């Protein structure tokens, strides 16, 4: 009986080792590989969709010589960023084979239901391809697989950190840029009142509503104006105004004047599912989301926030 148990145990160990040998992903085998997409060129790609493992997804489309976000009314995209990714896709080869079976796809995170990034692209002739980008073996090598194929390979220089699935990662982030030295007047209207800042010949700011007995804080005003005149978007929303944007009853309106133009910045609602405010500049046809930290002073600042703090009186002592 004991002899029989020993035989069964030995058979079990052999089965475990054999299973591990068969299904465990092999170290990448370097061979003379071929291009993964032999007929693909960077210029041939006209659409791109990136999805990540957090459920985020962004669609990009080529229009003329540039790239846009079609889901945000063709908001402009940084074309160089798209081209850099496409160049890497075109350069992929089969040199470093990791596995030929589908049993390791999930472990390497290149499975259809378990991936780090899913990249789908379409060429001008209507052909589409899906690429799964998975775990990184080290800082320079990342697993990848083409949909419909079992083979998984390693690619050098293909990092998931450079392939993001949020619109802000690809969009032109600078939404409003007015040099401070060109501003002559800035007016803020919010729930706490109206504040009109006028620049003097000495490049200092005065407050029209200052009144007597108060001193304006140049540093506070300069910080506020620098922030409101240079805004970066958190997310582009599109050209069409939506009721939830709250533009009928804005939280704040800022008017920025230079010698050549007047720009109005309207701050709408803070959306419940976002960490920022809806903003619309008169110089842009687009509504955008701006981060809360960048716009909160526009909504919340009151008169005291622009004044020098009154000195704390020295404590008196009894004789």
């Amino acid at each position: 009986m004991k002899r029989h148990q020993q035989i069964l145990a030995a058979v079990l160990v052999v089965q475990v080792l054999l299973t591990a040998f068969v299904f465990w992903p092999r170290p990448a085998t370097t061979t003379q590989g071929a291009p993964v997409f032999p007929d693909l060129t960077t210029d041939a790609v006209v659409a791109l969709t990136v999805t990540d493992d957090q459920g985020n997804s962004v669609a990009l489309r080529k229009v003329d010589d540039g790239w846009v976000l079609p889901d945000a009314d063709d908001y402009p995209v940084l074309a160089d960023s798209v081209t850099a990714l496409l160049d890497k896709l075109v350069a992929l080869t089969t040199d470093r084979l990791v596995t030929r079976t589908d049993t390791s796809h999930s472990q390497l995170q290149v499975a259809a239901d378990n991936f780090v990034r899913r990249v789908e692209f379409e060429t001008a002739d209507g052909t589409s391809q899906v690429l799964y980008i998975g775990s990184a073996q080290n800082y320079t090598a990342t697993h990848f697989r083409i949909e419909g194929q079992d083979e998984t390979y390693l690619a050098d220089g293909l990092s998931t950190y450079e392939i993001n699935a949020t619109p802000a990662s690809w969009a032109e982030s600078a939404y409003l840029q007015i040099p401070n030295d060109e501003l002559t007047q800035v007016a803020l209207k919010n729930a706490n009142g109206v504040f009109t800042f006028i620049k003097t010949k000495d490049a200092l700011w005065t407050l029209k509503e200052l009144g007597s007995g108060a001193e304006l804080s140049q540093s506070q005003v300069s910080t506020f104006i620098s922030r409101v005149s240079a805004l970066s978007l958190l997310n582009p929303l599109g050209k069409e105004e939506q009721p939830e944007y709250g533009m009928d009853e804005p939280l704040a309106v800022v008017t920025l004047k230079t010698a050549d133009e007047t720009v109005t910045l309207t701050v709408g609602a803070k959306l419940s599912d976002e960490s920022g405010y809806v903003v619309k500049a008169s110089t842009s046809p687009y509504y955008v989301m701006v981060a809360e930290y960048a716009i909160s002073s526009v909504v919340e600042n009151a008169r005291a926030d622009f004044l020098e703090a009154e000195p704390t009186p020295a404590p008196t002592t009894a004789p």
Side-chain angles (χ1 to χ4, degrees):
M1 182 67 179
K2 184 176 181 180
R3 175 70 173 174
H4 180 69
Q5 291 175 338
Q6 290 176 336
I7 294 174
L8 290 177
V11 171
L12 179 61
V13 170
V14 171
Q15 288 177 334
V16 171
L17 293 176
L18 182 60
T19 300
F21 176 78
V22 171
F23 295 112
W24 193 262
R26 306 289 191 275
T29 302
T30 302
T31 60
Q32 185 63 38
V36 172
F37 305 109
D39 300 322
L40 181 66
T41 62
T42 299
D43 292 338
V45 179
V46 296
L48 187 70
T49 301
V50 180
T51 306
D52 65 17
D53 51 351
Q54 304 300 313
N56 299 309
S57 183
V58 60
L60 311 169
R61 181 165 291 277
K62 192 174 185 179
V63 175
D64 298 327
D65 294 329
W67 284 82
V68 300
L69 296 166
D71 294 335
D73 292 330
D74 292 350
Y75 192 89
V77 161
L78 295 169
D80 290 344
S81 298
V82 181
T83 301
L85 172 59
L86 295 179
D87 287 342
K88 292 182 179 182
L89 298 186
V90 170
L92 291 175
T93 67
T94 59
D95 289 352
R96 305 177 68 183
L97 177 66
V98 177
T99 179
R100 295 182 183 276
T101 64
D102 62 357
T103 53
S104 301
H105 289 174
S106 186
Q107 180 185 349
L108 299 176
Q109 293 182 275
V110 292
D113 58 353
N114 184 16
F115 53 81
V116 181
R117 297 289 187 274
R118 181 184 187 273
V119 179
E120 181 177 5
F121 61 89
E122 179 183 337
T123 53
D125 61 4
T127 303
S128 63
Q129 294 271 14
V130 174
L131 175 73
Y132 293 105
I133 304 175
S135 59
Q137 188 181 62
N138 52 51
Y139 291 111
T140 60
T142 305
H143 296 102
F144 74 91
R145 180 181 71 88
I146 308 301
E147 187 173 67
Q149 300 181 12
D150 289 336
E151 292 83 0
T152 300
Y153 304 95
L154 275 175
D156 292 324
L158 186 65
S159 172
T160 56
Y161 295 104
E162 301 172 340
I163 311 173
N164 293 301
T166 57
S169 304
W170 302 93
E172 293 277 5
S173 61
Y175 180 66
L176 178 66
Q177 295 287 334
I178 302 177
N180 279 9
D181 57 358
E182 295 182 9
L183 287 168
T184 59
Q185 181 175 311
V186 176
L188 166 65
K189 180 181 179 181
N190 63 17
N192 296 312
V194 177
F195 311 98
T196 308
F197 303 99
I198 301 173
K199 186 183 289 184
T200 67
K201 294 180 179 180
D202 299 327
L204 297 176
W205 290 99
T206 62
L207 177 59
K208 184 178 180 182
E209 300 83 7
L210 182 61
S212 59
E215 182 180 355
L216 192 67
S217 171
Q218 293 294 322
S219 61
Q220 294 282 72
V221 174
S222 295
T223 298
F224 170 79
I225 292 176
S226 296
R227 182 169 292 178
V228 77
S229 61
L231 289 178
S232 297
L233 63 86
L234 188 64
N235 196 30
L237 299 175
K239 296 179 180 180
E240 186 175 349
E241 181 180 339
Q242 303 296 330
E244 61 268 24
Y245 292 173
M247 291 299 174
D248 290 339
E249 298 181 4
L251 297 178
V253 176
V254 181
T255 305
L256 303 104
K257 292 185 178 182
T258 68
D260 301 319
E261 66 175 346
T262 298
V263 178
T264 302
L265 187 71
T266 306
V267 181
K270 181 182 179 183
L271 300 186
S272 58
D273 59 343
E274 298 284 353
S275 57
Y277 291 87
V278 179
V279 171
K280 171 70 169 63
S282 59
T283 51
S284 172
Y286 290 96
Y287 295 86
V288 300
M289 183 69 63
V290 175
E292 181 178 0
Y293 73 85
I295 212 74
S296 59
S297 59
V298 178
V299 175
E300 300 170 0
N301 271 19
R303 183 174 182 273
D305 295 301
F306 300 113
L307 304 181
E308 291 286 0
E310 295 183 4
T312 303
T316 58
T317 57

